Amino acid sequence: PFAMRYQMIALVLESEELPYSTNRKDRGLILYDSPYLYSVDLLKELRKKGFKDLTWAVGEDNAESVSRWKDWDSLGCPVVTVPVTVDRHSTAIREGRESLHPAIKDYVALNRLYGSSGRDRYS
């Protein structure tokens, strides 16, 4: 569920001591707690709430797909590519090919996400 994904992102950002904000008046990385379907819809919603000068960051593994996004040409903001060093798809995690970030191991086990049945599964 979206709320759990949001919580896991917040846990990782806090553990890495990466600054983020949920306040529209702050600048930098914004963690927005409302589910959305498409990037263009999220950007419209953020603009309605007063966010300006937005930049969309996409992992290099998805950079080529941007031109296939819904209304991608009307995003109205720069799209930048960021390097992705590890593939952490849920299938790879379930199959044990990838490990979880230490900040979310307990959260995943407690909530039985990714088919977890115990804390040692994702070490």
Side-chain angles (χ1 to χ4, degrees), residues 5-22 29 31 101-104 107:
R5 291 178 187 215
Y6 177 90
Q7 183 61 38
M8 288 189 289
I9 291 169
L11 288 168
V12 170
L13 292 173
E14 288 168 10
S15 76
E16 295 290 332
E17 298 181 3
L18 295 170
Y20 71 93
S21 177
T22 57
L29 180 62
L31 193 54
H101 189 283
I104 61 171
Y107 183 87

Side-chain angles (χ1 to χ4, degrees), residues 23 33 40 43 59 67 74 102:
N23 183 336
D33 64 353
V40 68
L43 290 168
S67 64
S74 65

Side-chain angles (χ1 to χ4, degrees), residues 69-86:
W69 292 1
K70 179 184 181 246
D71 299 331
W72 72 274
D73 54 345
S74 65
L75 291 176
C77 71
V79 177
V80 297
T81 302
V82 294
V84 175
T85 56
V86 179

Side-chain angles (χ1 to χ4, degrees), residues 10-49:
L11 288 168
V12 170
L13 292 173
E14 288 168 10
S15 76
E16 295 290 332
E17 298 181 3
L18 295 170
Y20 71 93
S21 177
T22 57
N23 183 336
R24 69 179 178 89
K25 293 182 181 179
D26 292 339
R27 298 183 62 72
L29 180 62
I30 304 294
L31 193 54
Y32 188 66
D33 64 353
S34 179
Y36 59 92
L37 294 175
Y38 299 105
S39 303
V40 68
D41 296 334
L42 174 63
L43 290 168
K44 286 177 188 174
E45 184 67 22
L46 289 171
R47 287 184 182 108
K48 283 182 197 174
K49 294 187 178 292

